[in-house]
Amino acid sequence: GPGQAEMYAGLQELGVANGEDLKETLTNCTEPLKAIEQFQTENGVLLPSLQYALPFLDLHGTPRLEFHQSVFDELREKLLERVSAIALEGKVEERYKKLEDLLEKSFSLVKMPSIQPVVMCVMKHLPKVPEKKLKLVMADKDLYKACAVEVKRQIWQDNQALFGDEVSPLLKQYILEKENILFSNDISFLQNFFSQSPKTRRQGEVVQKLTQMIGKNVKLYDMVLQFLRTLFLRTRNVHYCTLRAELLMSLHDLEISDICTVDPCHKFTWCLDACIREKFVDNKRARELQGFLDGVKKGQEQVLGDLSMILCDPFAINTLALSTIRHLQDLVGQDTLPRESPDLLLLLRMLSLGQGAWDMIDSQVFKEPKMEAELITRFLPLLMSFVVDDHTFTVDQKLPSEEKGPIPYPSTIPEAFTKFLQENRIACEIGLYYILHITKQRNKNAFLRLLPALGRFLSHLLFYGCLPHI
């Protein structure tokens, strides 16, 4: 068929006889057997010692095709090894010259199944495949499919749409996997959502595939980030923020400095990743994170958009909120007000940045959201007073009965507290984590007292798909 003709067409260009030549020879000759013999001699493996070996193989009933095939396979293996070796030897500026010549010679045979692996191997080892060859590969579905990822990267970096087609199903798969865990009815699954270590999460299939597709190519990395920003903007789905952080940290694990050194979020993400692993922001790391935030230079405020996405990752928010509750408890023990704790203020600042990620990217106004003073001067002290109530009640319960005070556990909550939950996203977040904290402690009194406020969370919860599952 036409496919066959196309497959062997390249041989003529190289001066190698193909089926057409044999047909031609046999059509125009008087003694076909002699012609065949001559054709075999001219086009066979030219080794003098073979003249005696071939008849011997014939006697054993080994077909000539099988013999030639095995010689061919052997030579191809040797050639593939040699190509990989050439790519590493000689002076850097001359290193790829031989391979470019080899590609020039062999490319016309790229459609021949037996030769194709060699051509593909040569291209794989060339850091820059000639534009014309890339275009030919791109235009042919089967060739494109057969290409090594190293060659595809060279095609993708100038074809955002094609790269988008390759990445899109992976991103869909990632979101589906997250939602399957979150919306599953298996309780153990839900408890495990936040319990997996960041390093384990990055071993997931999608993150690994994307990391492989990007390699060390900064342009492709930037394209993926652009896809993630756009999708986050379009869907408000916070799992794209998780993927943004996981992808960067996966490249960090592989020590791909080409990319890590140019991503201005790298050090911040690396430090935050360590906090997520420990589920706590300690003082030393708090200082580091603050240093990165304070270090955003004039004219580079756009970095805040990416940092806010990294802070909007549910795993980051979970860590910041848990740390906030722990800090509030410590402050009660130290008789210190929230406004006097720089670490607590930093946690709020980061929560605020994370919560404001969507608005910032949507408005393209890159400045930190303004923190409501009342959150620090009124809401948090109210929450601390609840913690004090808990402590007082617990201590009181342990006293011998004659020393017990007549104080029942307070059953009402100030209206101001409920109003904060309704109107302030950060207050809502922290309030919710406080309720989760008392639930884990099996503190029935505190839970019943806060129960009426729970309704206020519902509208907020719809915005964050993850929170019910902490």
Side-chain angles (χ1 to χ4, degrees):
Q4 289 287 338
E6 188 189 10
M7 231 170 11
Y8 297 110
L11 287 169
Q12 272 165 321
E13 288 177 38
L14 298 177
V16 177
N18 65 12
E20 291 298 310
D21 296 304
L22 182 59
K23 205 154 92 184
E24 184 101 346
T25 306
L26 291 175
T27 318
N28 304 324
C29 72
T30 43
E31 296 183 42
L33 287 174
K34 264 216 169 98
I36 288 172
E37 201 173 320
Q38 193 179 349
F39 189 88
Q40 280 179 323
T41 312
E42 284 171 13
N43 296 293
V45 181
L46 302 174
L47 277 178
S49 54
L50 266 181
Q51 275 172 317
Y52 308 107
L54 282 174
F56 183 67
L57 284 173
D58 294 341
L59 287 174
H60 283 279
T62 303
R64 293 275 170 105
L65 174 67
E66 205 174 295
F67 162 72
H68 281 95
Q69 193 62 53
S70 67
V71 171
F72 185 86
D73 292 345
E74 191 68 30
L75 287 171
R76 185 176 56 203
E77 280 317 303
K78 288 268 181 290
L79 185 55
L80 287 171
E81 279 167 32
R82 186 74 195 103
V83 167
S84 303
I86 291 173
L88 301 170
E89 64 189 28
K91 291 197 185 110
V92 175
E93 57 275 15
E94 293 162 20
R95 187 172 284 180
Y96 301 111
K97 184 82 189 80
K98 278 184 195 162
L99 292 183
E100 280 161 7
D101 294 347
L102 191 54
L103 183 62
E104 212 34 69
K105 284 202 186 87
S106 62
F107 193 80
S108 52
L109 302 179
V110 72
K111 291 274 178 74
M112 268 179 75
S114 49
I115 302 278
Q116 193 180 65
V118 178
V119 184
M120 289 302 178
C121 180
V122 173
M123 286 203 286
K124 171 185 164 161
H125 286 291
L126 275 177
K128 199 147 180 36
V129 175
E131 190 59 32
K132 252 170 61 184
K133 307 267 190 293
L134 284 180
K135 283 210 158 72
L136 289 166
V137 168
M138 219 173 100
D140 186 311
K141 254 205 190 85
D142 296 329
L143 282 186
Y144 172 73
K145 244 197 175 120
C147 265
V149 71
E150 288 85 348
V151 181
K152 283 184 180 161
R153 282 183 205 133
Q154 297 181 43
I155 293 174
W156 291 333
Q157 69 170 7
D158 300 314
N159 294 276
Q160 185 161 7
L162 182 62
F163 186 52
D165 292 344
E166 294 269 358
V167 168
S168 184
L170 287 172
L171 302 185
K172 278 201 188 84
Q173 181 189 336
Y174 183 86
I175 298 297
L176 267 173
E177 284 170 6
K178 284 271 183 246
E179 288 177 347
N180 284 343
I181 297 176
L182 283 171
F183 300 135
S184 110
N185 295 325
D186 176 0
I187 294 300
S188 64
F189 240 166
L190 302 182
Q191 287 167 336
N192 290 340
F193 186 75
F194 285 115
S195 62
Q196 261 197 340
S197 81
K199 202 142 191 176
T200 313
R201 283 190 280 123
R202 308 199 269 278
Q203 301 309 312
E205 183 190 6
V206 173
V207 177
Q208 290 301 312
K209 269 191 187 158
L210 285 172
T211 309
Q212 232 258 296
M213 286 164 81
I214 290 166
K216 296 181 178 180
N217 193 313
V218 176
K219 213 170 158 188
L220 294 181
Y221 177 67
D222 280 339
M223 277 189 215
V224 175
L225 295 192
Q226 201 41 55
F227 296 149
L228 292 175
R229 281 184 211 109
T230 308
L231 286 161
F232 175 51
L233 206 54
R234 204 179 298 158
T235 62
R236 279 190 178 234
N237 191 322
V238 289
H239 302 311
Y240 290 115
C241 300
T242 308
L243 185 51
R244 159 75 175 95
E246 282 179 351
L247 188 57
L248 172 53
M249 286 308 294
S250 168
L251 293 158
H252 166 93
D253 292 341
L254 293 169
E255 296 178 12
I256 299 195
S257 58
D258 307 47
I259 289 175
C260 291
T261 49
V262 296
D263 187 333
C265 302
H266 172 232
K267 285 187 171 144
F268 182 88
T269 311
W270 181 13
C271 185
L272 187 63
D273 186 74
C275 300
I276 294 171
R277 193 181 60 225
E278 312 285 336
K279 292 196 174 36
F280 184 61
V281 182
D282 62 39
N283 296 5
K284 183 174 163 289
R285 293 204 179 105
R287 299 277 166 280
E288 273 184 63
L289 291 166
Q290 182 161 4
F292 297 133
L293 287 180
D294 294 342
V296 174
K297 294 184 181 62
K298 275 238 174 301
Q300 298 183 329
E301 290 88 354
Q302 252 184 304
V303 173
L304 282 174
D306 265 11
L307 288 177
S308 70
M309 246 182 111
I310 280 159
L311 287 165
C312 183
D313 159 22
F315 291 89
I317 294 232
N318 178 54
T319 302
L320 296 171
L322 286 172
S323 297
T324 303
I325 300 297
R326 263 177 69 175
H327 267 291
L328 286 174
Q329 290 176 292
D330 291 345
L331 293 180
V332 167
Q334 296 156 9
D335 280 347
T336 310
L337 281 170
R339 71 188 82 163
E340 290 157 20
S341 162
D343 283 357
L344 180 66
L345 295 178
L346 173 74
L347 290 170
L348 296 176
R349 182 181 171 188
M350 292 197 290
L351 273 172
S352 171
L353 256 171
Q355 297 268 22
W358 190 87
D359 298 320
M360 195 188 295
I361 294 168
D362 181 45
S363 65
Q364 292 286 296
V365 176
F366 298 105
K367 57 173 196 268
E368 288 194 41
K370 237 184 134 33
M371 183 84 63
E372 269 183 62
E374 290 222 308
L375 182 76
I376 297 153
T377 57
R378 289 198 60 204
F379 175 74
L380 291 180
L382 273 175
L383 200 54
M384 282 170 73
S385 73
F386 294 169
V387 176
V388 173
D389 290 341
D390 287 346
H391 281 308
T392 317
F393 188 74
T394 315
V395 170
D396 197 55
Q397 290 303 299
K398 287 181 183 151
L399 292 172
S401 52
E402 62 273 13
E403 288 174 39
K404 266 202 181 94
I407 341 159
Y409 192 87
S411 58
T412 54
I413 30 177
E415 186 50 41
F417 184 79
T418 315
K419 200 164 175 294
F420 267 112
L421 297 184
Q422 252 170 318
E423 291 169 11
N424 185 304
R425 286 217 305 243
I426 298 177
C428 190
E429 193 89 54
I430 296 169
L432 184 74
Y433 270 81
Y434 177 65
I435 288 185
L436 289 162
H437 167 72
I438 58 179
T439 313
K440 277 185 184 148
Q441 300 223 305
R442 308 221 184 292
N443 184 338
K444 198 174 89 189
N445 288 312
F447 185 72
L448 289 172
R449 177 188 191 183
L450 285 166
L451 199 56
L454 263 179
R456 311 285 183 215
F457 292 127
L458 292 177
S459 58
H460 173 80
L461 283 183
L462 296 174
F463 182 80
Y464 287 101
C466 306
L467 286 176
H469 309 304
I470 298 148

